[in-house]
Amino acid sequence: MQLRHVESFLAVVEEGQFARAASRLFLSPPAVTGHVRQLERDLGTPLLHRSPVSLTPAGARFLPHAQAMVAAANAACTAVKDLHGTRETVIRVGVMAPGAAELTPAILRAFCRAQPRTRLVVESLGFTDFLSAVLEHRVDVAFIRPAPHDERVVTDTLTVEPRILLTVAACDLADAEGVRLADVLDLDFVRFPETTPRLLSEYGSFAAARNGMETRWGVGRATSAQDLMTSIAAGWGVAGTLHSLGRYYRAPGTCAIPVVDAPWEASALISRRDDLRPEIKAFRDLAVALARDPELGRLRPPVPPGQ
C-alpha cells in the first residue's frame, strides 16, 4: 500500500468526483483512477462505487484509517522540518595568532550577536597547518597572514599593513626609528619547520627582496607565534611580520622596527572555494564589512601609501 494511493482515495471521497480529485492533486483523471484501483487490489475489496461516487461498506470502514495515515505522514514531515529549522549550525574558525589583530575578536563577537543559532568553535593554527587545516576540512574558515594565492580557497583581505622586523631588544638596530631591507637581509632569521608552506617562510624572511640571495637561518625554530617570540627574545634570530603582530603580540625583551621600504602585506580570512554554505558566506560578509566600515568595526586598517 502506497501513501499516494491513499491520498488519491481521500481526494475522490472529499471531492465526490475523480476529475475534481485529479485537478486538486495536479494529476490526470486516469492516474487517480489507477491509484484507487491499485489500492482496492492491495486491500482485496472495492472501496468506492463509481456512478455516482460513494463509499462501499469496506470503504467506509477504511476511511478513518486512511485519514489517520495521511495525517501521521504530514505530522512526520512537519516535525522534521521544524527540527531542521532549529538545528544548531557550527562553524570551525581557525586562528593563526593573532589573526587580523583586534578585528579577529570583533568579528567573532559581532557574528555571535548576528547569528545566535550558529555556534563558533575556535581552534589555534600554527605556521605549518594554517592552509592545510582549511583544505583538509579541520576548520571551515581561518584568520591567517599573509594572504595566500591558492585557487582552492577564497581569500578576503581584512587588513593591509606595513612590515616590521621583530628582534631582541639588545640588537644593535633596536634604537632605530626605521630600517631598510638592505639593513636586515643579512641577519639571522628564525627558522621554520620544513613542512611550513613556502609562502610563510618567504614572507617571514623578506625573500622577495633577496634577488636569489639565500636566507641566513638562526638556531631558533618556530611552529607558532609563541615559539617565534620566544626564539626572538632569546636572541636566536629575527623575523619579518606585519605591524599589528608587533603591537598585539610582542613578547618582553623584544622590539618591533618598521621596515620602511618593504611592500605592505595583508592579513586575510580564507575558506574553501567549494564551501557554498550560507553560514560561511554570512561569516565572510560580516568580516569584510567590519574590516571596511569604521562605524561597524570601529577599526580601520592602515591604508598603503598613495591610496
Side-chain angles (χ1 to χ4, degrees):
M1 185 187 305
Q2 297 186 28
L3 184 64
R4 62 195 179 102
H5 297 166
V6 177
E7 290 175 330
S8 290
F9 164 76
L10 288 177
V12 172
V13 171
E14 292 166 6
E15 297 295 336
Q17 290 184 0
F18 279 81
R20 283 204 297 262
S23 178
R24 167 175 147 183
L25 296 173
F26 301 100
L27 296 172
S28 67
V32 173
T33 299
H35 289 173
V36 174
R37 284 178 178 169
Q38 184 60 52
L39 182 61
E40 291 174 326
R41 284 195 291 268
D42 291 340
L43 294 174
T45 184
L47 299 175
L48 295 172
H49 298 296
R50 269 37 179 196
S51 298
V53 172
S54 63
L55 290 166
T56 66
R61 181 173 292 186
F62 179 70
L63 178 62
H65 299 286
Q67 292 169 330
M69 290 170 61
V70 173
N74 291 336
C77 291
T78 300
V80 172
K81 289 178 181 177
D82 288 346
L83 179 62
H84 178 74
T86 58
R87 178 174 56 88
E88 182 183 63
T89 302
V90 177
I91 297 178
R92 297 161 299 171
V93 182
V95 180
M96 177 183 163
E102 292 91 344
L103 273 173
T104 303
I107 290 167
L108 298 179
R109 287 194 303 268
F111 186 83
C112 288
R113 289 195 300 268
Q115 302 283 342
R117 289 187 178 180
T118 301
R119 182 164 62 95
L120 301 182
V121 177
V122 178
E123 299 185 20
S124 297
L125 301 180
F127 292 159
T128 61
D129 66 348
F130 65 92
L131 186 58
S132 62
V134 175
L135 296 176
E136 295 172 2
H137 294 247
R138 286 184 278 125
V139 298
D140 302 307
V141 296
F143 292 91
I144 69 169
R145 56 177 67 204
H149 303 286
D150 193 308
E151 293 183 353
R152 296 170 294 177
V153 299
V154 177
T155 301
D156 294 301
T157 298
L158 299 181
T159 66
V160 180
E161 305 175 34
R163 303 295 306 280
I164 60 170
L165 180 76
L166 290 173
T167 181
V168 65
C171 174
D172 293 339
L173 300 174
D175 293 331
E177 294 184 0
V179 294
R180 303 185 69 83
L181 286 166
D183 301 321
V184 304
L185 294 182
D186 61 349
L187 298 178
D188 292 337
F189 283 76
V190 174
R191 184 185 298 272
F192 298 99
E194 293 181 359
T195 54
T196 302
R198 183 176 178 181
L199 167 75
L200 182 63
S201 59
E202 291 182 348
Y203 154 86
S205 62
F206 299 106
R210 293 182 175 277
N211 295 320
M213 181 180 72
E214 291 290 331
T215 301
R216 292 177 50 179
W217 298 110
V219 296
R221 186 182 296 269
T223 61
S224 67
Q226 183 61 55
D227 293 343
L228 182 71
M229 298 310 303
T230 299
S231 295
I232 292 169
W236 295 341
V238 301
T241 186
L242 297 187
H243 173 266
S244 60
L245 189 144
R247 172 175 47 80
Y248 191 82
Y249 207 79
R250 197 169 78 234
T254 65
C255 65
I257 309 168
V259 183
V260 296
D261 59 343
W264 290 34
E265 288 279 2
S267 72
L269 178 73
I270 63 171
S271 60
R272 290 181 296 278
R273 186 171 295 279
D274 60 358
D275 192 344
L276 304 179
R277 288 176 292 167
E279 57 267 30
I280 300 299
K281 183 178 186 304
F283 190 92
R284 291 178 51 216
D285 289 347
L286 185 144
V288 172
L290 282 174
R292 299 293 173 261
D293 191 332
E295 293 302 318
L296 287 175
R298 302 194 182 282
L299 292 168
R300 180 180 288 278
V303 178
Q307 294 190 14

